[in-house]
Amino acid sequence: MAEVIDGRAIARALDEQTKAEVEAFVAAGKNRPGLTVILVGDDPASEVYVRHKVKACERVGMRSTEHRLPAKTTQKELLGLIDRVNASEHVHGILVQVPLPDHIDERAVIDAIDPAKDVDGFHPVNVGRLSTGTGGIWPCTPFGCIKLLHSVEPDLTGLDALVIGRSNIVGKPVAMMLIAEGCTVTVAHSKTRNLPEKARQADIIVAAVGIPELVKGDWVKEGAIVIDVGINRTPGKDGKDKLVGDVAYDEVQHARAVTPVPGGVGPMTIAVLLANTVQAAKALH
Ligand code: NDP
């Protein structure tokens, strides 16, 4: 049986560490680390994510502020708010919840965030820092994947890694991080030929596609580590929606270790967001 990588437990341990760092920071007389979340419009899924993030801040003793703006907010108004939170000494992390309404240019908004407060790690300065190996703030979900890999294998040097997916938020940054870890990295996408064959060569597979159970048992070599980023809703036998990943979990039990869905990568994203905010607070002071 493959080891189950328990993302919930690893995220809890990271939260404990973040909480201790928050208290040490405050005890040293500095402003309590604070995260600002900006939500434009009333997308129900975004509402849930924002609520989770605010609750998570409370859990680790961090300040959180929420800015809920109506869907008709103009880009100029949103950029004005970002200017103000960029300048606030109580705000160390800024997160703009996506998707934004169609009339707002998401790229312009991300570019306006002070890179030192860009705790999502999507600003071009942070993307550049990651890809040049010069620090910066790293995006939460990919960084969470690396932490999960480290829980199984602290030294990834020399391993062959296959990343399936090349999005800016998961595939590309996780590939950059694996390169920094000393892996030999292949990045696959919808145009890749012979994907199962490539997968069978890999010591590490990170699947970030969005296709339920794309990665089959015979794609995975014995002893590989499998990180499943996918979150897909499919109809269960009882008629209710159930969550499945991009990996056929039951078929990969000959792997060394695998992340479940839910309970694998998902819980890491917010834990890394909080950890990034404390690191940002330290760097800003
Ligand atoms: P995107 O849709 O932006 O990217 C999907 C990638 O998969 C693309 O690069 C695409 O290739 C590639 N792809 C599509 N079909 C195939 C195929 N048949 N074979 C190989 N590659 C393929 O998705 P995201 O990166 O945003 O998200 C990926 C998954 O991860 C989703 O299920 C999402 O819900 C989940 N997710 C989970 C998070 C978490 O916290 N756990 C956070 C973020 C995402 P191409 O570029 O050629 O189109």
Side-chain angles (χ1 to χ4, degrees), residues 91-165:
V91 175
H92 306 96
I94 300 169
L95 186 147
V96 179
Q97 187 67 46
V98 290
L100 289 167
D102 289 344
H103 64 278
I104 297 180
D105 174 5
E106 200 173 300
R107 189 28 74 189
V109 171
I110 293 170
D111 288 0
I113 298 172
D114 178 350
K117 298 186 177 186
D118 164 43
V119 285
D120 252 344
F122 295 150
H123 191 283
V125 166
N126 286 315
V127 176
R129 287 206 170 279
L130 169 59
S131 54
T132 51
T134 51
I137 303 178
W138 289 9
C140 304
T141 301
F143 199 11
C145 294
I146 300 297
K147 288 178 187 296
L148 294 176
L149 283 168
H150 279 166
S151 76
V152 181
E153 179 55 68
D155 184 6
L156 306 177
T157 313
L159 297 183
D160 290 326
L162 173 71
V163 178
I164 315 178

Side-chain angles (χ1 to χ4, degrees), residues 6 25 54 123 232:
D6 185 348
F25 194 73
V54 168
H123 191 283
N232 309 292

